[in-house]
Amino acid sequence: MSLLTMDISNSHTALGIFKDEELTAHWTVQSDVRRTSDEWYLVLQGLVTRTTLAEVTAVSVCCTVPAILLEIREMIDRYYAKAPVSIVGPGVKTGVPINTDNPREVGADRIVNALAVSQVYGGPAIVVDMNGTATIFDVVDEKGAYLGGAIAPGVEISLEALARRGAQLRSVELASPRGVIGKNTVEAVQSGVVYGFAGQVDGIVHRMIEAMGADPDHVSVVVTGDFPEAVVDHCQTITARDPFLTLTGLRLVHEKNHD
């Protein structure tokens, strides 16, 4: 089996190819809402056929952008009509109980992450999904049930807003400064972003563990997504780094629905 996995978020799309349980290739492309179903197929063909020997025989998708999901469905209907397909949403089995006020409001990627973290790392667990648009925290109990989470502005969007609204500020490279006390404007911005977001992660994680009534030493805290290493390096609560957690979750969804 050669399984194509697609994790489509507002800013980027993570693509991966699994052969059985092994992730053999992966890429990241822009989530362009103007891209048509045929263009999505051409993007995939340009990446997949040049780096893998086997053709795609199954597809598993989660998408948080309705306009893109429409094109992805059309692409699958046209080019992968004979392949087993899992698009995370109503009617697709995940095995994750959702203990929130309105389960339909929970993003597909968050449920996929909950499945992956409970299967791979065990519960209780917290997933910290960091991408340019948002930093998303999701909580799973010891039985693998999804309890809820938190959503905060992402690092990239915060930097862009700071540069746009600050008359004497400019865009800077996201890197660790020499110290927390910046000696120039660039280092001051880097310090605020790096230590500020690291402190945000640790603060929210600590509060979530306290709210669960769990032993901090027995809670897995897994960071995933296109996370900035400079920030994660200064997080004290992260226990594992798994940039492909969502893709792994999509493989598990496929197995639950087609094996």
Side-chain angles (χ1 to χ4, degrees):
M1 179 193 74
S2 184
L3 172 68
L4 167 65
T5 53
M6 303 180 68
D7 170 27
I8 305 166
S9 64
N10 289 293
S11 55
H12 296 94
T13 294
L15 307 168
I17 294 290
F18 282 89
K19 292 185 178 179
D20 297 321
E21 296 184 359
E22 181 185 1
L23 180 65
T24 58
H26 58 84
W27 313 270
T28 302
V29 300
Q30 284 188 329
S31 296
D32 190 345
V33 296
R34 299 168 298 178
R35 190 175 289 149
T36 68
S37 58
D38 294 325
E39 288 172 329
W40 273 106
Y41 180 71
L42 289 174
V43 169
L44 293 173
Q45 285 295 98
L47 295 171
V48 175
T49 58
R50 293 180 183 178
T51 55
T52 61
L53 297 177
E55 293 184 359
V56 170
T57 56
V59 183
S60 187
V61 178
C62 69
C63 179
T64 59
V65 187
I68 295 180
L69 182 56
L70 178 64
E71 298 297 329
I72 294 298
R73 287 185 182 276
E74 290 185 5
M75 179 199 72
I76 290 172
D77 289 343
R78 182 171 182 179
Y79 296 103
Y80 298 105
K82 296 181 179 180
V85 175
S86 300
I87 299 179
V88 181
V92 174
K93 294 183 292 184
T94 63
V96 179
I98 305 174
N99 298 336
T100 62
D101 292 339
N102 188 350
R104 291 184 177 273
E105 288 182 347
V106 183
D109 55 334
R110 304 176 74 178
I111 302 306
V112 170
N113 283 342
L115 170 63
V117 78
S118 64
Q119 292 291 311
V120 178
Y121 297 93
I126 298 173
V127 178
V128 183
D129 190 349
M130 302 186 75
N131 57 67
T133 304
T135 300
I136 302 173
F137 301 79
D138 291 305
V139 181
V140 178
D141 68 12
E142 66 279 1
K143 297 181 180 179
Y146 178 80
L147 302 182
I151 302 174
V155 176
E156 184 179 310
I157 200 171
S158 299
L159 271 173
E160 291 175 357
L162 186 64
R164 184 170 63 251
R165 299 294 292 271
Q168 294 184 339
L169 301 176
R170 61 183 186 275
S171 298
V172 301
E173 178 189 4
L174 184 58
S176 294
R178 288 179 292 178
V180 68
I181 303 174
K183 297 298 185 180
N184 53 62
T185 301
V186 170
E187 287 187 352
V189 172
Q190 290 173 332
S191 175
V193 172
V194 169
Y195 294 108
F197 274 92
Q200 179 194 74
V201 169
D202 289 338
I204 291 177
V205 167
H206 280 307
R207 290 174 183 268
M208 285 180 163
I209 292 174
E210 182 179 356
M212 283 192 290
D215 181 349
D217 293 334
H218 295 89
V219 178
S220 299
V221 182
V222 183
V223 64
T224 191
D226 190 22
F227 54 82
E229 293 284 355
V231 172
V232 175
D233 284 344
H234 294 279
C235 294
Q236 299 176 352
T237 54
I238 300 297
T239 61
R241 306 184 189 198
D242 190 342
F244 307 119
L245 183 72
T246 312
L247 299 183
T248 298
L250 287 170
R251 174 181 62 79
L252 294 170
V253 168
H254 170 78
E255 292 173 359
K256 285 181 175 293
N257 287 270
H258 296 286
D259 279 8

PDB file of all heavy atoms in Angstrom, residues 51-88:
ATOM      1  N   THR A  51       9.655  11.006  -6.495  1.00  0.00           N
ATOM      2  CA  THR A  51      10.381  10.561  -5.311  1.00  0.00           C
ATOM      3  C   THR A  51       9.952   9.201  -4.803  1.00  0.00           C
ATOM      4  O   THR A  51      10.577   8.665  -3.901  1.00  0.00           O
ATOM      5  CB  THR A  51      10.212  11.581  -4.171  1.00  0.00           C
ATOM      6  OG1 THR A  51       8.803  11.776  -3.934  1.00  0.00           O
ATOM      7  CG2 THR A  51      10.848  12.909  -4.523  1.00  0.00           C
ATOM      8  N   THR A  52       8.883   8.647  -5.324  1.00  0.00           N
ATOM      9  CA  THR A  52       8.448   7.318  -4.893  1.00  0.00           C
ATOM     10  C   THR A  52       8.272   6.417  -6.100  1.00  0.00           C
ATOM     11  O   THR A  52       7.914   6.875  -7.185  1.00  0.00           O
ATOM     12  CB  THR A  52       7.120   7.398  -4.121  1.00  0.00           C
ATOM     13  OG1 THR A  52       6.125   7.946  -4.980  1.00  0.00           O
ATOM     14  CG2 THR A  52       7.243   8.267  -2.885  1.00  0.00           C
ATOM     15  N   LEU A  53       8.489   5.142  -5.896  1.00  0.00           N
ATOM     16  CA  LEU A  53       8.386   4.195  -6.996  1.00  0.00           C
ATOM     17  C   LEU A  53       6.953   3.717  -7.207  1.00  0.00           C
ATOM     18  O   LEU A  53       6.548   3.440  -8.328  1.00  0.00           O
ATOM     19  CB  LEU A  53       9.296   2.991  -6.716  1.00  0.00           C
ATOM     20  CG  LEU A  53      10.790   3.304  -6.635  1.00  0.00           C
ATOM     21  CD1 LEU A  53      11.561   2.030  -6.272  1.00  0.00           C
ATOM     22  CD2 LEU A  53      11.296   3.865  -7.960  1.00  0.00           C
ATOM     23  N   ALA A  54       6.196   3.608  -6.134  1.00  0.00           N
ATOM     24  CA  ALA A  54       4.840   3.078  -6.240  1.00  0.00           C
ATOM     25  C   ALA A  54       3.828   4.192  -6.458  1.00  0.00           C
ATOM     26  O   ALA A  54       4.009   5.322  -6.000  1.00  0.00           O
ATOM     27  CB  ALA A  54       4.481   2.308  -4.982  1.00  0.00           C
ATOM     28  N   GLU A  55       2.760   3.890  -7.164  1.00  0.00           N
ATOM     29  CA  GLU A  55       1.684   4.845  -7.327  1.00  0.00           C
ATOM     30  C   GLU A  55       0.846   4.908  -6.050  1.00  0.00           C
ATOM     31  O   GLU A  55       0.831   3.981  -5.252  1.00  0.00           O
ATOM     32  CB  GLU A  55       0.781   4.435  -8.499  1.00  0.00           C
ATOM     33  CG  GLU A  55       1.457   4.526  -9.859  1.00  0.00           C
ATOM     34  CD  GLU A  55       0.487   4.200 -10.986  1.00  0.00           C
ATOM     35  OE1 GLU A  55      -0.676   3.887 -10.678  1.00  0.00           O
ATOM     36  OE2 GLU A  55       0.912   4.268 -12.145  1.00  0.00           O
ATOM     37  N   VAL A  56       0.161   6.036  -5.872  1.00  0.00           N
ATOM     38  CA  VAL A  56      -0.717   6.189  -4.718  1.00  0.00           C
ATOM     39  C   VAL A  56      -1.890   5.222  -4.851  1.00  0.00           C
ATOM     40  O   VAL A  56      -2.578   5.195  -5.872  1.00  0.00           O
ATOM     41  CB  VAL A  56      -1.228   7.639  -4.624  1.00  0.00           C
ATOM     42  CG1 VAL A  56      -2.330   7.759  -3.573  1.00  0.00           C
ATOM     43  CG2 VAL A  56      -0.075   8.582  -4.310  1.00  0.00           C
ATOM     44  N   THR A  57      -2.117   4.416  -3.808  1.00  0.00           N
ATOM     45  CA  THR A  57      -3.207   3.438  -3.840  1.00  0.00           C
ATOM     46  C   THR A  57      -4.304   3.758  -2.832  1.00  0.00           C
ATOM     47  O   THR A  57      -5.347   3.100  -2.823  1.00  0.00           O
ATOM     48  CB  THR A  57      -2.673   2.029  -3.565  1.00  0.00           C
ATOM     49  OG1 THR A  57      -1.968   2.031  -2.308  1.00  0.00           O
ATOM     50  CG2 THR A  57      -1.716   1.586  -4.672  1.00  0.00           C
ATOM     51  N   ALA A  58      -4.090   4.749  -1.942  1.00  0.00           N
ATOM     52  CA  ALA A  58      -5.095   5.149  -0.959  1.00  0.00           C
ATOM     53  C   ALA A  58      -4.811   6.591  -0.542  1.00  0.00           C
ATOM     54  O   ALA A  58      -3.674   7.077  -0.657  1.00  0.00           O
ATOM     55  CB  ALA A  58      -5.085   4.225   0.249  1.00  0.00           C
ATOM     56  N   VAL A  59      -5.854   7.278  -0.055  1.00  0.00           N
ATOM     57  CA  VAL A  59      -5.729   8.692   0.302  1.00  0.00           C
ATOM     58  C   VAL A  59      -6.419   8.939   1.636  1.00  0.00           C
ATOM     59  O   VAL A  59      -7.520   8.426   1.888  1.00  0.00           O
ATOM     60  CB  VAL A  59      -6.361   9.607  -0.773  1.00  0.00           C
ATOM     61  CG1 VAL A  59      -6.155  11.080  -0.409  1.00  0.00           C
ATOM     62  CG2 VAL A  59      -5.799   9.309  -2.151  1.00  0.00           C
ATOM     63  N   SER A  60      -5.779   9.725   2.505  1.00  0.00           N
ATOM     64  CA  SER A  60      -6.372  10.126   3.781  1.00  0.00           C
ATOM     65  C   SER A  60      -6.147  11.624   3.966  1.00  0.00           C
ATOM     66  O   SER A  60      -5.012  12.105   3.844  1.00  0.00           O
ATOM     67  CB  SER A  60      -5.750   9.338   4.934  1.00  0.00           C
ATOM     68  OG  SER A  60      -6.417   9.599   6.150  1.00  0.00           O
ATOM     69  N   VAL A  61      -7.227  12.356   4.253  1.00  0.00           N
ATOM     70  CA  VAL A  61      -7.177  13.822   4.230  1.00  0.00           C
ATOM     71  C   VAL A  61      -7.859  14.409   5.457  1.00  0.00           C
ATOM     72  O   VAL A  61      -8.910  13.912   5.908  1.00  0.00           O
ATOM     73  CB  VAL A  61      -7.895  14.377   2.976  1.00  0.00           C
ATOM     74  CG1 VAL A  61      -7.886  15.904   2.969  1.00  0.00           C
ATOM     75  CG2 VAL A  61      -7.284  13.824   1.702  1.00  0.00           C
ATOM     76  N   CYS A  62      -7.275  15.479   6.011  1.00  0.00           N
ATOM     77  CA  CYS A  62      -8.007  16.363   6.911  1.00  0.00           C
ATOM     78  C   CYS A  62      -7.770  17.791   6.426  1.00  0.00           C
ATOM     79  O   CYS A  62      -6.674  18.141   6.011  1.00  0.00           O
ATOM     80  CB  CYS A  62      -7.605  16.188   8.375  1.00  0.00           C
ATOM     81  SG  CYS A  62      -5.960  16.744   8.830  1.00  0.00           S
ATOM     82  N   CYS A  63      -8.837  18.584   6.451  1.00  0.00           N
ATOM     83  CA  CYS A  63      -8.759  19.927   5.890  1.00  0.00           C
ATOM     84  C   CYS A  63      -9.622  20.866   6.724  1.00  0.00           C
ATOM     85  O   CYS A  63     -10.769  20.553   7.045  1.00  0.00           O
ATOM     86  CB  CYS A  63      -9.232  19.919   4.432  1.00  0.00           C
ATOM     87  SG  CYS A  63      -9.213  21.543   3.634  1.00  0.00           S
ATOM     88  N   THR A  64      -9.059  22.037   7.052  1.00  0.00           N
ATOM     89  CA  THR A  64      -9.790  23.038   7.827  1.00  0.00           C
ATOM     90  C   THR A  64     -10.199  24.235   6.972  1.00  0.00           C
ATOM     91  O   THR A  64     -10.679  25.230   7.508  1.00  0.00           O
ATOM     92  CB  THR A  64      -8.928  23.527   9.007  1.00  0.00           C
ATOM     93  OG1 THR A  64      -7.701  24.083   8.511  1.00  0.00           O
ATOM     94  CG2 THR A  64      -8.598  22.378   9.953  1.00  0.00           C
ATOM     95  N   VAL A  65     -10.012  24.128   5.659  1.00  0.00           N
ATOM     96  CA  VAL A  65     -10.346  25.232   4.744  1.00  0.00           C
ATOM     97  C   VAL A  65     -11.426  24.733   3.782  1.00  0.00           C
ATOM     98  O   VAL A  65     -11.131  23.982   2.848  1.00  0.00           O
ATOM     99  CB  VAL A  65      -9.115  25.709   3.958  1.00  0.00           C
ATOM    100  CG1 VAL A  65      -9.445  26.965   3.149  1.00  0.00           C
ATOM    101  CG2 VAL A  65      -7.939  25.971   4.895  1.00  0.00           C
ATOM    102  N   PRO A  66     -12.689  25.108   3.989  1.00  0.00           N
ATOM    103  CA  PRO A  66     -13.784  24.571   3.167  1.00  0.00           C
ATOM    104  C   PRO A  66     -13.592  24.760   1.662  1.00  0.00           C
ATOM    105  O   PRO A  66     -13.905  23.850   0.882  1.00  0.00           O
ATOM    106  CB  PRO A  66     -15.008  25.349   3.666  1.00  0.00           C
ATOM    107  CG  PRO A  66     -14.671  25.700   5.081  1.00  0.00           C
ATOM    108  CD  PRO A  66     -13.192  25.977   5.071  1.00  0.00           C
ATOM    109  N   ALA A  67     -13.077  25.906   1.233  1.00  0.00           N
ATOM    110  CA  ALA A  67     -12.905  26.152  -0.200  1.00  0.00           C
ATOM    111  C   ALA A  67     -11.898  25.181  -0.807  1.00  0.00           C
ATOM    112  O   ALA A  67     -12.074  24.706  -1.937  1.00  0.00           O
ATOM    113  CB  ALA A  67     -12.462  27.591  -0.438  1.00  0.00           C
ATOM    114  N   ILE A  68     -10.850  24.869  -0.070  1.00  0.00           N
ATOM    115  CA  ILE A  68      -9.852  23.920  -0.563  1.00  0.00           C
ATOM    116  C   ILE A  68     -10.401  22.499  -0.515  1.00  0.00           C
ATOM    117  O   ILE A  68     -10.170  21.701  -1.440  1.00  0.00           O
ATOM    118  CB  ILE A  68      -8.544  24.027   0.248  1.00  0.00           C
ATOM    119  CG1 ILE A  68      -7.892  25.395   0.030  1.00  0.00           C
ATOM    120  CG2 ILE A  68      -7.566  22.912  -0.142  1.00  0.00           C
ATOM    121  CD1 ILE A  68      -6.603  25.597   0.797  1.00  0.00           C
ATOM    122  N   LEU A  69     -11.142  22.177   0.527  1.00  0.00           N
ATOM    123  CA  LEU A  69     -11.697  20.838   0.646  1.00  0.00           C
ATOM    124  C   LEU A  69     -12.606  20.507  -0.537  1.00  0.00           C
ATOM    125  O   LEU A  69     -12.617  19.371  -1.030  1.00  0.00           O
ATOM    126  CB  LEU A  69     -12.481  20.702   1.949  1.00  0.00           C
ATOM    127  CG  LEU A  69     -13.089  19.324   2.242  1.00  0.00           C
ATOM    128  CD1 LEU A  69     -12.018  18.239   2.225  1.00  0.00           C
ATOM    129  CD2 LEU A  69     -13.831  19.340   3.572  1.00  0.00           C
ATOM    130  N   LEU A  70     -13.333  21.494  -1.019  1.00  0.00           N
ATOM    131  CA  LEU A  70     -14.188  21.281  -2.189  1.00  0.00           C
ATOM    132  C   LEU A  70     -13.362  20.845  -3.395  1.00  0.00           C
ATOM    133  O   LEU A  70     -13.723  19.898  -4.109  1.00  0.00           O
ATOM    134  CB  LEU A  70     -14.953  22.573  -2.514  1.00  0.00           C
ATOM    135  CG  LEU A  70     -15.861  22.530  -3.749  1.00  0.00           C
ATOM    136  CD1 LEU A  70     -16.990  21.539  -3.554  1.00  0.00           C
ATOM    137  CD2 LEU A  70     -16.419  23.927  -4.036  1.00  0.00           C
ATOM    138  N   GLU A  71     -12.225  21.498  -3.622  1.00  0.00           N
ATOM    139  CA  GLU A  71     -11.355  21.155  -4.751  1.00  0.00           C
ATOM    140  C   GLU A  71     -10.676  19.804  -4.536  1.00  0.00           C
ATOM    141  O   GLU A  71     -10.501  19.027  -5.489  1.00  0.00           O
ATOM    142  CB  GLU A  71     -10.303  22.248  -4.961  1.00  0.00           C
ATOM    143  CG  GLU A  71     -10.870  23.620  -5.307  1.00  0.00           C
ATOM    144  CD  GLU A  71     -11.620  23.622  -6.626  1.00  0.00           C
ATOM    145  OE1 GLU A  71     -11.253  22.835  -7.524  1.00  0.00           O
ATOM    146  OE2 GLU A  71     -12.589  24.404  -6.750  1.00  0.00           O
ATOM    147  N   ILE A  72     -10.319  19.506  -3.301  1.00  0.00           N
ATOM    148  CA  ILE A  72      -9.695  18.220  -2.991  1.00  0.00           C
ATOM    149  C   ILE A  72     -10.672  17.074  -3.259  1.00  0.00           C
ATOM    150  O   ILE A  72     -10.305  16.037  -3.826  1.00  0.00           O
ATOM    151  CB  ILE A  72      -9.199  18.183  -1.533  1.00  0.00           C
ATOM    152  CG1 ILE A  72      -8.054  19.183  -1.323  1.00  0.00           C
ATOM    153  CG2 ILE A  72      -8.762  16.780  -1.144  1.00  0.00           C
ATOM    154  CD1 ILE A  72      -6.812  18.909  -2.151  1.00  0.00           C
ATOM    155  N   ARG A  73     -11.922  17.258  -2.883  1.00  0.00           N
ATOM    156  CA  ARG A  73     -12.931  16.230  -3.157  1.00  0.00           C
ATOM    157  C   ARG A  73     -13.085  16.003  -4.665  1.00  0.00           C
ATOM    158  O   ARG A  73     -13.198  14.855  -5.128  1.00  0.00           O
ATOM    159  CB  ARG A  73     -14.271  16.643  -2.546  1.00  0.00           C
ATOM    160  CG  ARG A  73     -14.320  16.538  -1.022  1.00  0.00           C
ATOM    161  CD  ARG A  73     -15.711  16.853  -0.508  1.00  0.00           C
ATOM    162  NE  ARG A  73     -15.803  16.824   0.932  1.00  0.00           N
ATOM    163  CZ  ARG A  73     -15.996  15.734   1.659  1.00  0.00           C
ATOM    164  NH1 ARG A  73     -16.121  14.557   1.052  1.00  0.00           N
ATOM    165  NH2 ARG A  73     -16.067  15.793   2.974  1.00  0.00           N
ATOM    166  N   GLU A  74     -13.087  17.087  -5.424  1.00  0.00           N
ATOM    167  CA  GLU A  74     -13.205  16.963  -6.880  1.00  0.00           C
ATOM    168  C   GLU A  74     -11.988  16.270  -7.466  1.00  0.00           C
ATOM    169  O   GLU A  74     -12.104  15.436  -8.373  1.00  0.00           O
ATOM    170  CB  GLU A  74     -13.394  18.335  -7.505  1.00  0.00           C
ATOM    171  CG  GLU A  74     -14.750  18.974  -7.205  1.00  0.00           C
ATOM    172  CD  GLU A  74     -14.940  20.283  -7.948  1.00  0.00           C
ATOM    173  OE1 GLU A  74     -14.058  20.656  -8.766  1.00  0.00           O
ATOM    174  OE2 GLU A  74     -15.971  20.947  -7.725  1.00  0.00           O
ATOM    175  N   MET A  75     -10.804  16.591  -6.940  1.00  0.00           N
ATOM    176  CA  MET A  75      -9.585  15.942  -7.411  1.00  0.00           C
ATOM    177  C   MET A  75      -9.636  14.439  -7.140  1.00  0.00           C
ATOM    178  O   MET A  75      -9.308  13.621  -8.014  1.00  0.00           O
ATOM    179  CB  MET A  75      -8.363  16.542  -6.708  1.00  0.00           C
ATOM    180  CG  MET A  75      -7.045  15.899  -7.112  1.00  0.00           C
ATOM    181  SD  MET A  75      -5.709  16.189  -5.930  1.00  0.00           S
ATOM    182  CE  MET A  75      -6.217  15.147  -4.556  1.00  0.00           C
ATOM    183  N   ILE A  76     -10.060  14.071  -5.932  1.00  0.00           N
ATOM    184  CA  ILE A  76     -10.130  12.655  -5.571  1.00  0.00           C
ATOM    185  C   ILE A  76     -11.146  11.925  -6.447  1.00  0.00           C
ATOM    186  O   ILE A  76     -10.889  10.824  -6.945  1.00  0.00           O
ATOM    187  CB  ILE A  76     -10.473  12.513  -4.075  1.00  0.00           C
ATOM    188  CG1 ILE A  76      -9.275  12.963  -3.228  1.00  0.00           C
ATOM    189  CG2 ILE A  76     -10.845  11.070  -3.736  1.00  0.00           C
ATOM    190  CD1 ILE A  76      -9.564  13.046  -1.744  1.00  0.00           C
ATOM    191  N   ASP A  77     -12.307  12.543  -6.652  1.00  0.00           N
ATOM    192  CA  ASP A  77     -13.340  11.912  -7.490  1.00  0.00           C
ATOM    193  C   ASP A  77     -12.852  11.670  -8.910  1.00  0.00           C
ATOM    194  O   ASP A  77     -13.213  10.674  -9.550  1.00  0.00           O
ATOM    195  CB  ASP A  77     -14.596  12.795  -7.524  1.00  0.00           C
ATOM    196  CG  ASP A  77     -15.341  12.790  -6.199  1.00  0.00           C
ATOM    197  OD1 ASP A  77     -15.086  11.893  -5.387  1.00  0.00           O
ATOM    198  OD2 ASP A  77     -16.161  13.707  -5.984  1.00  0.00           O
ATOM    199  N   ARG A  78     -12.007  12.572  -9.408  1.00  0.00           N
ATOM    200  CA  ARG A  78     -11.561  12.478 -10.797  1.00  0.00           C
ATOM    201  C   ARG A  78     -10.334  11.588 -10.965  1.00  0.00           C
ATOM    202  O   ARG A  78     -10.269  10.789 -11.910  1.00  0.00           O
ATOM    203  CB  ARG A  78     -11.260  13.875 -11.337  1.00  0.00           C
ATOM    204  CG  ARG A  78     -10.822  13.885 -12.791  1.00  0.00           C
ATOM    205  CD  ARG A  78     -10.753  15.290 -13.335  1.00  0.00           C
ATOM    206  NE  ARG A  78     -10.383  15.299 -14.746  1.00  0.00           N
ATOM    207  CZ  ARG A  78     -10.258  16.401 -15.486  1.00  0.00           C
ATOM    208  NH1 ARG A  78     -10.486  17.583 -14.947  1.00  0.00           N
ATOM    209  NH2 ARG A  78      -9.903  16.327 -16.753  1.00  0.00           N
ATOM    210  N   TYR A  79      -9.374  11.714 -10.047  1.00  0.00           N
ATOM    211  CA  TYR A  79      -8.083  11.052 -10.257  1.00  0.00           C
ATOM    212  C   TYR A  79      -7.837   9.843  -9.343  1.00  0.00           C
ATOM    213  O   TYR A  79      -6.951   9.033  -9.617  1.00  0.00           O
ATOM    214  CB  TYR A  79      -6.945  12.058 -10.062  1.00  0.00           C
ATOM    215  CG  TYR A  79      -6.953  13.181 -11.075  1.00  0.00           C
ATOM    216  CD1 TYR A  79      -7.412  14.453 -10.725  1.00  0.00           C
ATOM    217  CD2 TYR A  79      -6.523  12.965 -12.387  1.00  0.00           C
ATOM    218  CE1 TYR A  79      -7.422  15.485 -11.654  1.00  0.00           C
ATOM    219  CE2 TYR A  79      -6.540  13.993 -13.317  1.00  0.00           C
ATOM    220  CZ  TYR A  79      -6.991  15.252 -12.952  1.00  0.00           C
ATOM    221  OH  TYR A  79      -7.012  16.276 -13.879  1.00  0.00           O
ATOM    222  N   TYR A  80      -8.572   9.743  -8.246  1.00  0.00           N
ATOM    223  CA  TYR A  80      -8.368   8.626  -7.318  1.00  0.00           C
ATOM    224  C   TYR A  80      -9.692   7.905  -7.040  1.00  0.00           C
ATOM    225  O   TYR A  80      -9.931   7.427  -5.932  1.00  0.00           O
ATOM    226  CB  TYR A  80      -7.758   9.127  -5.997  1.00  0.00           C
ATOM    227  CG  TYR A  80      -6.399   9.754  -6.161  1.00  0.00           C
ATOM    228  CD1 TYR A  80      -6.236  11.139  -6.097  1.00  0.00           C
ATOM    229  CD2 TYR A  80      -5.276   8.971  -6.395  1.00  0.00           C
ATOM    230  CE1 TYR A  80      -4.995  11.723  -6.247  1.00  0.00           C
ATOM    231  CE2 TYR A  80      -4.025   9.549  -6.541  1.00  0.00           C
ATOM    232  CZ  TYR A  80      -3.888  10.926  -6.474  1.00  0.00           C
ATOM    233  OH  TYR A  80      -2.657  11.498  -6.628  1.00  0.00           O
ATOM    234  N   ALA A  81     -10.520   7.800  -8.052  1.00  0.00           N
ATOM    235  CA  ALA A  81     -11.872   7.250  -7.888  1.00  0.00           C
ATOM    236  C   ALA A  81     -11.856   5.800  -7.399  1.00  0.00           C
ATOM    237  O   ALA A  81     -12.782   5.364  -6.701  1.00  0.00           O
ATOM    238  CB  ALA A  81     -12.638   7.353  -9.209  1.00  0.00           C
ATOM    239  N   LYS A  82     -10.842   5.039  -7.743  1.00  0.00           N
ATOM    240  CA  LYS A  82     -10.793   3.627  -7.364  1.00  0.00           C
ATOM    241  C   LYS A  82     -10.011   3.375  -6.067  1.00  0.00           C
ATOM    242  O   LYS A  82      -9.932   2.242  -5.605  1.00  0.00           O
ATOM    243  CB  LYS A  82     -10.163   2.816  -8.495  1.00  0.00           C
ATOM    244  CG  LYS A  82     -10.989   2.834  -9.789  1.00  0.00           C
ATOM    245  CD  LYS A  82     -10.334   1.986 -10.862  1.00  0.00           C
ATOM    246  CE  LYS A  82     -11.158   1.990 -12.146  1.00  0.00           C
ATOM    247  NZ  LYS A  82     -10.539   1.155 -13.210  1.00  0.00           N
ATOM    248  N   ALA A  83      -9.455   4.435  -5.499  1.00  0.00           N
ATOM    249  CA  ALA A  83      -8.643   4.266  -4.291  1.00  0.00           C
ATOM    250  C   ALA A  83      -9.508   4.395  -3.038  1.00  0.00           C
ATOM    251  O   ALA A  83     -10.463   5.178  -3.007  1.00  0.00           O
ATOM    252  CB  ALA A  83      -7.540   5.327  -4.256  1.00  0.00           C
ATOM    253  N   PRO A  84      -9.202   3.636  -1.975  1.00  0.00           N
ATOM    254  CA  PRO A  84      -9.868   3.847  -0.683  1.00  0.00           C
ATOM    255  C   PRO A  84      -9.526   5.250  -0.166  1.00  0.00           C
ATOM    256  O   PRO A  84      -8.355   5.643  -0.142  1.00  0.00           O
ATOM    257  CB  PRO A  84      -9.267   2.765   0.213  1.00  0.00           C
ATOM    258  CG  PRO A  84      -8.667   1.761  -0.723  1.00  0.00           C
ATOM    259  CD  PRO A  84      -8.236   2.524  -1.917  1.00  0.00           C
ATOM    260  N   VAL A  85     -10.540   6.000   0.224  1.00  0.00           N
ATOM    261  CA  VAL A  85     -10.348   7.399   0.629  1.00  0.00           C
ATOM    262  C   VAL A  85     -10.966   7.635   1.998  1.00  0.00           C
ATOM    263  O   VAL A  85     -12.084   7.187   2.269  1.00  0.00           O
ATOM    264  CB  VAL A  85     -10.970   8.370  -0.404  1.00  0.00           C
ATOM    265  CG1 VAL A  85     -10.861   9.810   0.091  1.00  0.00           C
ATOM    266  CG2 VAL A  85     -10.298   8.215  -1.758  1.00  0.00           C
ATOM    267  N   SER A  86     -10.225   8.340   2.857  1.00  0.00           N
ATOM    268  CA  SER A  86     -10.743   8.775   4.158  1.00  0.00           C
ATOM    269  C   SER A  86     -10.595  10.287   4.250  1.00  0.00           C
ATOM    270  O   SER A  86      -9.472  10.799   4.229  1.00  0.00           O
ATOM    271  CB  SER A  86      -9.991   8.106   5.310  1.00  0.00           C
ATOM    272  OG  SER A  86     -10.103   6.704   5.258  1.00  0.00           O
ATOM    273  N   ILE A  87     -11.716  10.998   4.319  1.00  0.00           N
ATOM    274  CA  ILE A  87     -11.698  12.448   4.540  1.00  0.00           C
ATOM    275  C   ILE A  87     -12.303  12.679   5.914  1.00  0.00           C
ATOM    276  O   ILE A  87     -13.496  12.426   6.129  1.00  0.00           O
ATOM    277  CB  ILE A  87     -12.486  13.198   3.454  1.00  0.00           C
ATOM    278  CG1 ILE A  87     -11.862  12.927   2.076  1.00  0.00           C
ATOM    279  CG2 ILE A  87     -12.494  14.695   3.749  1.00  0.00           C
ATOM    280  CD1 ILE A  87     -12.586  13.612   0.924  1.00  0.00           C
ATOM    281  N   VAL A  88     -11.495  13.127   6.858  1.00  0.00           N
ATOM    282  CA  VAL A  88     -11.924  13.202   8.254  1.00  0.00           C
ATOM    283  C   VAL A  88     -13.103  14.159   8.388  1.00  0.00           C
ATOM    284  O   VAL A  88     -13.045  15.322   7.989  1.00  0.00           O
ATOM    285  CB  VAL A  88     -10.771  13.658   9.159  1.00  0.00           C
ATOM    286  CG1 VAL A  88     -11.222  13.698  10.623  1.00  0.00           C
ATOM    287  CG2 VAL A  88      -9.582  12.708   9.005  1.00  0.00           C
TER     288      VAL A  88
END
